[in-house]
Amino acid sequence: MSDAPFDGMRWIPGGTFLMGSDRHYPEEAPVHKVSVGGFWIDACAVTNDDFARFVAATGYVTSAERPADPRDYPGAKPELLAPSSVMFKKPAQRVDLGNHYNWWIYVRGADWRHPRGPASSIKTLGAHPVVHVAYEDVEAYAAWAGKEIPTEAEWEFAARGGLDGADYCWGDDLMPDGSFMANTWQGEFPWQNKIEDGYEWTAPVGSFPANGYGLHEMAGNVWEWTADWYQTHDRIDSPCCTLDNPRGGVREESIAADQAQVKIPRKVMKGGSYLCAPNYCRRYRPAARMAQPIDTSTCHLGFRCIRRVA
């Protein structure tokens, strides 16, 4: 197709591919055959400038900018109910990697307008991906823009750029010819960041080479929301057979088993971020996936949109 419905979108022809990976994290296995139809997708993640236009047109207030309802979070500390979002805080030395609270904290006043904490702004970050957006926020933007949020299968097919089975969006070598292909963490996570790729936080969209479909930063920079309720791939019926346009799991079954009081459904997020490192989170790959509570926004999670063809 030649006529994009909106500027900055690329046509993904659809087809059949091998989804997942048997070589990395357990939640990515088993590899299974999936087919998706053709669709248009944003070449880059939604930026702060994009989101600002949406907010200016609608007056929308994001989840991180609103106080939480204490009835939804029984037993929660009052300070955690204030408008806030999840921020990365780099520790001064090595810490226990088994406890993510060693580097994740809730920060009051962190939101999409203040992506690096309440004292920060987006004044010079207009071309950077918008972050601190919960799932209801990305749905609201997509509806306003006349677009949709991709399914996990659509997102992964697009991220692979036509390289079926490759480890990365660009092939099987993390750094071909010594070149950085994505905004990730260099050094020992979470305390030592060498910033060899030039970016400690997010990078402007389009900073790294596009994949075979003309899409930028489908690995690293920021994780991206998908529309699918989270389930492990081993729960897929008949993984030996081709699944046509799958739509993920079931809302109720996406809730983490250890959430005794607050039962928050989870969506699949894809692509990894600037915080992914070889020693801790090698998720800057198309097959990589993690569960994200729909009410939780963070400093390293954004999104891009698609437009399906009937």
Side-chain angles (χ1 to χ4, degrees):
M1 287 197 177
S2 58
D3 297 327
F6 301 99
D7 290 341
M9 301 196 87
R10 301 288 183 268
W11 172 246
I12 308 300
T16 300
F17 73 110
L18 296 175
M19 186 172 178
S21 173
D22 294 328
R23 299 191 298 272
H24 296 278
Y25 293 103
E27 70 271 11
E28 301 168 18
V31 170
H32 52 289
K33 191 176 291 186
V34 168
S35 69
V36 296
F39 58 95
W40 294 92
I41 187 170
D42 294 335
C44 298
V46 173
T47 66
N48 287 314
D49 281 348
D50 296 329
F51 203 78
R53 284 189 285 271
F54 157 61
V55 170
T58 64
Y60 186 83
V61 179
T62 63
S63 175
E65 297 172 283
R66 307 190 302 262
D69 188 337
R71 293 173 298 181
D72 295 334
Y73 303 94
K77 297 179 181 179
E79 60 267 26
L80 296 181
L81 299 175
S84 60
S85 191
V86 178
M87 289 284 301
F88 172 76
K89 183 179 181 180
K90 186 169 67 173
Q93 64 280 320
R94 288 188 176 93
V95 294
D96 176 13
L97 293 180
N99 181 6
H100 62 266
Y101 292 110
N102 283 325
W103 57 87
W104 286 120
I105 58 173
Y106 273 97
V107 175
R108 186 169 184 166
D111 54 48
W112 76 274
R113 302 177 194 270
H114 307 91
R116 300 173 190 176
S120 67
S121 78
I122 57 171
K123 185 175 181 180
T124 61
L125 302 177
H128 287 239
V130 66
V131 291
H132 297 297
V133 282
Y135 191 73
E136 65 177 299
D137 305 327
V138 308
E139 276 196 314
Y141 175 93
W144 171 80
K147 301 178 182 180
E148 298 174 86
I149 305 302
T151 65
E152 180 182 5
E154 289 168 333
W155 194 100
E156 184 169 331
F157 183 79
R160 291 186 176 279
L163 299 178
D164 196 17
D167 273 350
Y168 305 105
C169 301
W170 51 85
D172 288 315
D173 186 357
L174 176 61
M175 295 181 60
D177 300 320
S179 299
F180 287 102
M181 303 296 288
N183 178 14
T184 60
W185 183 286
Q186 296 86 51
E188 186 179 337
F189 184 85
W191 68 280
Q192 177 195 53
N193 191 349
K194 297 180 180 179
I195 321 177
E196 294 169 340
D197 61 10
Y199 300 100
E200 183 174 12
W201 295 83
T202 56
V205 299
S207 293
F208 292 86
N211 71 1
Y213 289 144
L215 310 180
H216 294 272
E217 287 90 45
M218 295 297 279
N221 215 23
V222 293
W223 284 95
E224 298 185 10
W225 285 103
T226 74
D228 284 9
W229 298 113
Y230 182 82
Q231 69 174 0
T232 55
H233 281 341
D234 60 8
R235 296 179 63 184
I236 296 171
D237 292 334
S238 303
C240 61
C241 305
T242 302
L243 303 177
D244 293 326
N245 291 310
R247 291 294 189 269
V250 178
R251 176 188 173 99
E252 291 72 23
E253 294 179 3
S254 73
I255 297 170
D258 59 355
Q259 288 186 343
Q261 289 183 298
V262 182
K263 298 184 180 298
I264 305 298
R266 301 177 297 169
K267 295 282 188 178
V268 177
M269 64 178 187
K270 299 282 284 183
S273 79
Y274 60 88
L275 296 177
C276 283
N279 76 298
Y280 178 70
C281 178
R282 292 174 287 101
R283 290 188 169 90
Y284 31 70
R285 297 172 291 102
R289 58 200 305 266
M290 290 192 74
Q292 179 71 5
I294 60 173
D295 67 335
T296 304
S297 59
T298 74
C299 63
H300 72 330
L301 172 58
F303 70 108
R304 76 182 69 207
C305 298
I306 68 168
R307 181 72 175 264
R308 296 188 181 94
V309 177

